[in-house]
């Protein structure tokens, strides 16, 4: 550590008594004393060295801590305190914490000192986490609207609509190269699982691991995954409000026609490429 020798032994600012005497003299000398007094310059260099470790702990430059010490040393509280260095150290520590919180919260130091601001977590970029924000934040989760209102029970018309949606889905797969018996068995099995689970996401997760159904249909993993994604939609919440996330069954139920589905190039390509051969696995 650098040795600092004050010009006057009575103003040995490394001790509380000397610091108090120096602060009182600088205060009585007027506004320009801090700029011209050589002892004041030594004092600030000493403060930067004294609080350097504290500043680095909070990601700051030592001279930022010295600046905070300078603000406190000019106050009456430091001049009249029983332990001036104790007052300065406490104030510098609080300022360093507020500076660090202000940088994390992207707000001013003045705001970061207030409890109702500092209680928040640091600001984060969408790219800071390994998993996308849309995977875990509820604000980005979209739930499917209930086709029937709460006060209107499902009617025979709704049943007919569900039945016609199933038949249209089977027809779509058949038109795109899937064997008719595999298309019918696969679509009906998925519809039954969907009715039991009550939600597309739960049905998708249960069917994704259903090796027994794959064996009965005699299709490979690629065809089975394509069948699930096409009918139930992509399981990621990021796709929930898109055509890929809704799936064929929901799109048919909300009024889209078979002709409109055939104009969806991405859907048609996915189903066509995954089509199994008529004699068994693709």
């Amino acid at each position: 550590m650098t040795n600092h020798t004050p010009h006057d032994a009575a103003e040995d600012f490394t001790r509380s008594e000397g610091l108090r005497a120096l602060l009182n003299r600088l205060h009585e000398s007027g506004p320009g004393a801090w700029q011209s007094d050589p002892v004041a310059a030594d004092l600030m260099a000493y403060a930067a060295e004294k609080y350097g470790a504290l500043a680095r702990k909070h990601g700051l430059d030592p001279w930022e801590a010295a600046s905070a010490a300078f603000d406190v040393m000019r106050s009456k509280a430091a001049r009249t305190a029983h332990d001036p260095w104790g007052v300065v150290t406490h104030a510098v520590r609080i300022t360093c914490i507020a500076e660090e919180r202000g940088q994390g919260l992207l707000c001013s130091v003045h705001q970061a000192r207030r409890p109702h601001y500092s209680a928040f977590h640091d600001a984060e970029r969408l790219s800071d986490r390994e998993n996308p924000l849309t995977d875990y934040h509820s604000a980005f989760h979209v739930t499917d609207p209930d086709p029937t209102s709460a006060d209107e029970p499902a009617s025979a018309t709704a049943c007919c609509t569900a039945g016609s949606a199933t038949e249209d889905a089977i027809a779509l797969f058949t038109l795109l190269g899937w064997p008719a018996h595999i298309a019918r068995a696969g679509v009906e099995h998925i519809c039954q699982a969907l009715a039991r689970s009550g939600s597309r996401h739960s049905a998708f997760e249960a069917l994704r691991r259903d090796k027994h159904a794959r064996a009965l249909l005699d299709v490979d993993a690629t065809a089975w995954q394509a069948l699930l994604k096409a009918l139930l939609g992509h399981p990621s919440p990021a796709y929930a409000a898109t055509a890929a996330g809704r799936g064929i069954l929901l799109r048919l139920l909300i009024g889209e026609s078979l002709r409109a589905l055939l104009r969806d190039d991405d859907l048609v390509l996915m189903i066509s490429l995954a089509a199994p051969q008529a004699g068994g696995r693709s």
Side-chain angles (χ1 to χ4, degrees):
M1 179 179 292
T2 305
N3 294 324
H4 296 272
T5 304
H7 292 243
D8 188 342
E11 292 183 349
D12 180 7
F13 50 69
T14 61
R15 304 173 58 190
S16 289
E17 296 81 1
L19 177 62
R20 186 187 304 108
L22 174 59
L23 295 180
N24 283 323
R25 181 176 66 78
L26 292 173
H27 175 69
E28 293 169 359
S29 299
W34 282 92
Q35 296 177 347
S36 57
D37 195 294
V39 184
D42 291 340
L43 172 61
M44 297 316 301
Y46 176 76
E49 189 173 345
K50 179 180 179 66
Y51 299 118
L54 179 62
R56 286 187 288 270
K57 176 183 176 182
H58 295 283
L60 304 174
D61 185 87
W63 282 100
E64 293 183 88
S67 176
F70 171 69
D71 291 336
V72 182
M73 289 176 184
R74 293 184 300 159
S75 66
K76 182 179 179 181
R79 295 194 305 272
T80 60
H82 174 71
D83 181 11
W85 275 120
V87 172
V88 174
T89 300
H90 180 67
V92 170
R93 181 181 296 110
I94 293 177
T95 300
C96 288
I97 294 173
E99 285 276 4
E100 183 181 27
R101 295 294 294 133
Q103 292 178 10
L105 295 171
L106 304 181
C107 67
S108 67
V109 178
H110 175 69
Q111 289 177 313
R113 290 177 184 270
R114 299 182 178 181
H116 59 279
Y117 286 102
S118 61
F120 296 108
H121 64 75
D122 287 357
E124 296 183 46
R125 295 181 176 87
L126 294 179
S127 59
D128 284 345
R129 293 181 179 245
E130 181 178 353
N131 298 322
L133 184 65
T134 52
D135 283 358
Y136 59 85
H137 201 291
S138 58
F140 293 90
H141 292 178
V142 181
T143 55
D144 297 326
D146 188 356
T148 60
S149 61
D151 56 346
E152 293 183 6
S155 61
T157 303
C159 294
C160 294
T161 303
S164 63
T166 301
E167 292 300 323
D168 286 345
I170 295 171
L172 177 64
F173 277 87
T174 304
L175 289 171
L176 296 177
W178 284 59
H181 67 285
I182 295 179
R184 178 168 294 278
V187 172
E188 290 180 349
H189 179 75
I190 292 174
C191 288
Q192 291 171 4
L194 178 59
R196 288 193 302 269
S197 65
S199 73
R200 292 184 297 123
H201 181 74
S202 300
F204 189 98
E205 288 301 313
L207 290 168
R208 182 173 59 85
R209 299 183 293 270
D210 191 350
K211 295 183 179 179
H212 179 67
R214 278 179 49 195
L216 290 177
L217 293 174
D218 193 23
V219 295
D220 61 9
T222 302
W224 181 241
Q225 288 292 327
L227 183 64
L228 291 178
K229 286 184 179 180
L231 289 174
L232 301 178
H234 198 289
S236 173
Y239 292 89
T242 66
R246 293 189 181 102
I248 291 172
L249 294 175
L250 179 59
R251 293 173 67 179
L252 289 170
L253 286 173
I254 62 177
E256 289 194 48
S257 64
L258 183 58
R259 187 184 300 273
L261 295 178
L262 287 170
R263 290 197 295 266
D264 188 334
D265 295 337
D266 293 334
L267 176 65
V268 169
L269 183 62
M270 179 180 68
I271 296 175
S272 300
L273 292 178
Q277 298 176 0
R281 295 177 181 268
S282 56

